Amino acid sequence: MQILLVEDDRRISSFVVKGLEEMGHQVILVESAEAAREWINTDSLDIIVLDIMLPGIDGIQFTKMVRYRKNHIPILILSALGEIEDKVEALESGADDYLVKPFSFKELVSRIKALVRRDNYKNAPKDSSVEIRDLKVDLERYEVHKNGKNVDLSPKEFKLFKYLIENRNKTLSRTAILQAVWGIDFDNSTNVVDVYVSYLRGKVDEGSDTSIIKTVKGVGYMLTTD
């Protein structure tokens, strides 16, 4: 996942960033809502983790601004304020969840995963048939056709292709792909992702001038629909 963390307490941000990056997630750390504004329209963001007590624009104001812009990215509020009224105000401003400081790292990760999973489900294609350039993919029947002709993918190739399609136009790290497709939490010594992306390109890009699977240098891959 790519996570925008808005937190000015460096003691908290350092352990959150360290823990999330060790799990293979990408974390963009900013210390103010003003700095966070530059990132909220980034398509590759999965979630915003946001402190309330910030210098300048506070977390509640920032959340309202994000929602005013019709941006529905999940927002998880972090706050030392634990009263019911504080939680209600944050949730009514547009936040999706509220976690009181001090918190356990395991609970933070669990909340983040739950919000992103819910958002991915909500935005998943409702029709099992997806068309991308000259490809027609049936996600339920595990069928791929290119210009009307069948493209024969192995089960693992199709699972990889399906994951890329469900997260199209988003940068996916190799670690995220490993976890989703192979069930491997972290293994930086394997090149299985690169090998299977190569297999997949050889089949779905045949006869095309450019690949629909873009390499994002130093990070991973992105399936583009442009």
Side-chain angles (χ1 to χ4, degrees):
M1 289 182 283
Q2 189 170 79
I3 301 163
L4 176 62
L5 175 62
V6 190
E7 173 62 73
D8 65 328
D9 186 328
R10 296 187 180 182
R11 180 180 56 85
I12 293 174
S13 64
S14 61
F15 97 83
V16 170
V17 170
K18 183 175 183 293
L20 291 173
E21 288 185 342
E22 285 178 352
M23 295 181 69
H25 303 303
Q26 294 176 267
V27 184
I28 299 165
L29 172 63
V30 295
E31 296 186 350
S32 70
E34 288 81 357
R37 283 187 300 193
E38 304 299 319
W39 293 95
I40 59 174
N41 291 320
T42 303
D43 291 337
S44 57
L45 280 182
D46 292 291
I47 189 170
I48 298 173
V49 179
L50 174 68
D51 184 25
I52 282 187
M53 306 297 286
L54 294 168
I57 299 172
D58 65 27
I60 299 296
Q61 293 171 315
F62 179 72
T63 299
K64 289 179 178 178
M65 180 184 69
V66 171
R67 298 304 184 225
Y68 178 77
R69 294 184 180 184
K70 308 299 182 184
N71 188 320
H72 302 292
I73 186 171
I75 296 177
L76 169 60
I77 292 286
L78 303 178
S79 177
L81 306 174
E83 298 298 323
I84 294 297
E85 292 77 9
D86 300 315
K87 297 178 182 179
V88 169
E89 182 184 14
L91 295 172
E92 290 188 346
S93 73
D96 297 281
D97 201 356
Y98 191 102
L99 187 58
V100 178
K101 300 176 182 178
F103 51 83
S104 77
F105 181 72
K106 284 186 177 180
E107 183 176 8
L108 172 67
V109 171
S110 179
R111 300 279 189 105
I112 289 173
K113 286 183 176 179
L115 289 177
V116 173
R117 184 168 58 243
R118 186 191 312 166
D119 187 61
N120 287 342
Y121 177 79
K122 181 176 66 179
N123 293 313
K126 300 301 183 287
D127 189 345
S128 65
S129 181
V130 178
E131 292 189 23
I132 303 172
R133 297 189 191 177
D134 55 359
L135 295 165
K136 187 170 183 178
V137 185
D138 192 316
L139 298 175
E140 289 188 357
R141 295 187 178 187
Y142 287 71
E143 294 178 352
V144 180
H145 291 87
K146 184 179 179 71
N147 294 321
K149 296 181 179 180
N150 182 61
V151 178
D152 186 22
L153 299 183
S154 71
K156 194 64 73 177
E157 288 169 347
F158 189 90
K159 189 173 182 180
L160 170 60
F161 197 34
K162 182 180 180 183
Y163 182 63
L164 292 169
I165 289 171
E166 289 173 343
N167 292 277
R168 53 193 178 274
N169 298 317
K170 293 176 64 175
T171 299
L172 300 171
S173 69
R174 288 176 175 82
T175 303
I177 296 171
L178 271 174
Q179 187 173 23
V181 180
W182 282 270
I184 301 172
D185 287 332
F186 184 75
D187 185 353
N188 62 2
S189 64
T190 180
N191 67 342
V192 66
V193 173
D194 305 297
V195 170
Y196 270 80
V197 167
S198 178
Y199 292 160
L200 196 54
R201 281 172 169 163
K203 295 180 179 182
V204 301
D205 293 333
E206 186 177 0
S208 302
D209 294 332
T210 58
S211 176
I212 63 171
I213 305 172
K214 177 184 176 183
T215 300
V216 182
K217 190 174 181 180
V219 181
Y221 296 97
M222 175 196 297
L223 187 143
T224 60
T225 57
D226 297 335

